[in-house]
Amino acid sequence: MIKVEFHNREKELKRLMKIAEFEPHTIYFIFGPINSGKTALIQEFIRRLGKDYVVFYVNLRGKFITDYQDFTRILFKFEKRKREEILKEILKTTTRFLSTRGIPVSEGTIDLILAKRKTEDVFEFIEDYISDIAKEKRPIFILDELQVIKDIEIDGKLIYKLFNLFVRLTKELHICHVFCLTSDSLFVERIYSEAMLQGRADYMLVDDFDYETTVGFLRKYSFDDEEIDLAWNYFGGKPVYLIKAIENKDTLEEFCEDSLEIRCGQILDGLYKLKKRDEKTFKLVLDLFETIKEDGVKYKSLNDALEWCIDKNILFANPIKRVVKPQSKLEYLAIKKVLDDLS
Ligand SMILES: Nc1ncnc2c1ncn2[C@@H]1O[C@H](COP(=O)(O)OP(=O)(O)OP(=O)(O)O)[C@@H](O)[C@H]1O
Ligand SMILES: [Mg+2]
């Protein structure tokens, strides 16, 4: 079996390690185009952490959260052991401690937590719990796919309460690093302009591989210059597409053309549906397609056309630089081809 090894990202890893070494003082939002390797990067970061660190990684992808109980079941991992035993394991381990299923707590705590009908109380519980760990170790809390809970209301907007907890853990108490990952740029845009996070959050872009990184990656799988050119010209540095290119190396040209055709079909399908529903936005999307450049274009504020393209993962908006660009090279090629087809 051919296994794809984690590749490069040394610059990003160095930055993450630096952040981890420093006292927590801000929430970090890790954002980037879809499938750019955010989750893979954070996993590698966790692997490299030393024994002082205690990591709680929670991935909200695919999680169905409608109420308070759903949310607590995701945040916590209920164990048969007593609180003291759990804490002992966390503090005494000789490698970094990692829980990928939420914060481990004893089963005896279930009732206590669920009885706390208010999210604020649960967050107080987490604060106390993390404070205890922080006396001896360095806790890191990572929430992947944060946008899953962007609109959830549990006696008020859940996300704001969560942000309050994160501000408390970082800026106020300095006891826990907090990293939030998302590829939803409409959501990042919202967070970025959120008053309650001003000066309390930092942003780290994880983009697709650059050209050199892509070449290095493909060389590992014996791509020659011509094959590298072909893959780069169709897929740019998006890891997920490159992995598929490696898988289809023997029929690379055909695979590239098929991929483009499929992506064009998807975009056209979306456009026809949009046209039926909202002719005005449809026309604006086509205008936007005309003006979009591979490296992106500046935008001032989002409008319906931009939002539609972002929502359909055709374009990616970077609210910090205020640049909107195709999600990848494949999307760029598809946009231009769709315009040709429609003209
Ligand atoms: N640096 C890397 N080296 C090797 N493979 C990578 C690397 N980065 C990402 N990948 C692979 O590319 C695929 C997409 O990566 P990943 O899921 O981390 O992206 P993501 O940005 O988290 O995606 P999403 O937008 O869905 O959250 C995965 O299969 C992953 O293993
Ligand atoms: Mg991810």
Side-chain angles (χ1 to χ4, degrees):
M1 189 174 75
I2 298 170
K3 196 177 173 325
V4 176
E5 300 281 330
F6 183 81
H7 181 69
N8 198 300
R9 293 294 192 194
E10 289 308 322
K11 202 172 88 232
E12 289 87 348
L13 285 162
K14 207 168 156 192
R15 176 153 182 223
L16 288 170
M17 290 312 247
K18 264 243 146 59
I19 294 168
E21 278 164 20
F22 207 83
E23 182 184 67
H25 57 101
T26 181
I27 308 168
Y28 279 89
F29 287 97
I30 299 181
F31 74 109
I34 190 168
N35 280 318
S36 65
K38 299 173 287 299
T39 301
L41 170 69
I42 214 78
Q43 303 290 354
E44 179 63 20
F45 164 62
I46 294 170
R47 264 194 292 277
R48 292 189 185 190
L49 289 168
K51 64 177 171 40
D52 287 346
Y53 293 93
V54 171
V55 184
F56 305 112
Y57 171 86
V58 177
N59 194 332
L60 297 172
R61 168 159 294 178
K63 297 290 188 314
F64 187 66
I65 305 165
T66 53
D67 60 17
Y68 171 72
Q69 297 208 349
D70 292 342
F71 184 60
T72 19
R73 288 215 171 83
I74 286 162
L75 270 190
F76 298 101
K77 178 174 153 222
F78 296 104
E79 295 192 1
K80 290 221 174 331
R81 297 178 296 167
K82 288 205 182 92
R83 178 186 187 277
E84 296 71 36
E85 286 171 40
I86 296 171
L87 207 63
K88 196 169 155 199
E89 190 205 331
I90 292 177
L91 297 179
K92 297 292 171 245
T93 131
T94 51
T95 56
R96 54 110 184 86
F97 176 89
L98 168 64
S99 170
T100 54
R101 294 272 162 84
I103 301 171
V105 289
S106 76
E107 269 184 351
T109 325
I110 299 183
D111 294 341
L112 193 87
I113 290 175
L114 292 181
K116 291 179 189 290
R117 291 253 144 234
K118 289 174 102 183
T119 30
E120 282 84 353
D121 295 337
V122 177
F123 291 164
E124 255 172 43
F125 174 91
I126 295 178
E127 191 182 306
D128 292 345
Y129 181 104
I130 288 183
S131 296
D132 278 348
I133 296 171
K135 285 175 194 149
E136 292 186 43
K137 297 255 178 175
R138 315 179 76 176
I140 300 184
F141 191 61
I142 302 170
L143 258 183
D144 206 340
E145 302 288 337
L146 183 67
Q147 75 282 352
V148 167
I149 55 166
K150 66 181 172 187
D151 295 319
I152 291 176
E153 300 260 350
I154 301 174
D155 60 66
K157 266 225 155 56
L158 177 61
I159 197 97
Y160 291 126
K161 295 179 181 191
L162 206 53
F163 288 159
N164 270 327
L165 169 71
F166 292 164
V167 171
R168 182 106 187 101
L169 296 176
T170 55
K171 192 186 76 105
E172 291 185 1
L173 297 172
H174 309 288
I175 54 174
C176 181
H177 286 288
V178 176
F179 295 99
C180 300
L181 279 64
T182 184
S183 50
D184 181 338
S185 44
L186 293 175
F187 177 55
V188 179
E189 165 85 32
R190 233 167 75 186
I191 293 172
Y192 191 64
S193 49
E194 180 53 63
M196 77 173 288
L197 290 175
Q198 292 308 315
R200 297 158 174 176
D202 271 314
Y203 299 84
M204 181 173 165
L205 172 70
V206 177
D207 212 337
D208 295 343
F209 292 161
D210 59 19
Y211 179 70
E212 280 73 32
T213 312
T214 304
V215 172
F217 185 53
L218 294 176
R219 286 255 186 262
K220 283 187 184 167
Y221 302 91
S222 314
F223 272 50
D224 61 26
D225 290 349
E226 208 176 307
E227 288 164 332
I228 288 173
D229 268 0
L230 191 59
W232 174 257
N233 286 335
Y234 272 83
F235 305 125
K238 191 166 294 293
V240 80
Y241 289 153
L242 297 176
I243 293 170
K244 285 185 187 159
I246 293 166
E247 207 183 328
N248 291 278
K249 184 171 178 286
D250 293 344
T251 50
L252 192 59
E253 207 165 332
E254 195 184 330
F255 172 71
C256 290
E257 281 163 16
D258 287 353
S259 302
L260 179 58
E261 203 172 314
I262 291 168
R263 198 66 190 106
C264 285
Q266 290 166 339
I267 294 175
L268 273 171
D269 187 50
L271 279 172
Y272 289 136
K273 285 186 183 133
L274 176 67
K275 192 175 179 199
K276 262 194 209 151
R277 190 169 51 79
D278 181 352
E279 176 103 27
K280 191 171 151 230
T281 307
F282 167 79
K283 285 194 176 129
L284 288 172
V285 168
L286 292 191
D287 292 345
L288 180 60
F289 278 7
E290 291 281 0
T291 54
I292 205 79
K293 297 199 180 76
E294 197 181 335
D295 294 336
V297 288
K298 285 263 179 199
Y299 72 94
K300 285 203 178 84
S301 60
L302 297 178
N303 55 33
D304 288 349
L306 267 171
E307 285 196 17
W308 184 85
C309 294
I310 294 168
D311 186 56
K312 291 279 173 271
N313 283 324
I314 301 166
L315 299 181
F316 162 72
N318 178 341
I320 287 93
K321 294 213 159 129
R322 303 214 82 73
V323 166
V324 62
K325 64 173 191 172
Q327 279 281 357
S328 78
K329 181 96 177 195
L330 191 69
E331 273 71 26
Y332 176 71
L333 296 176
I335 287 170
K336 298 300 164 193
K337 197 162 181 303
V338 161
L339 280 177
D340 278 351
D341 288 358
L342 290 176
S343 63

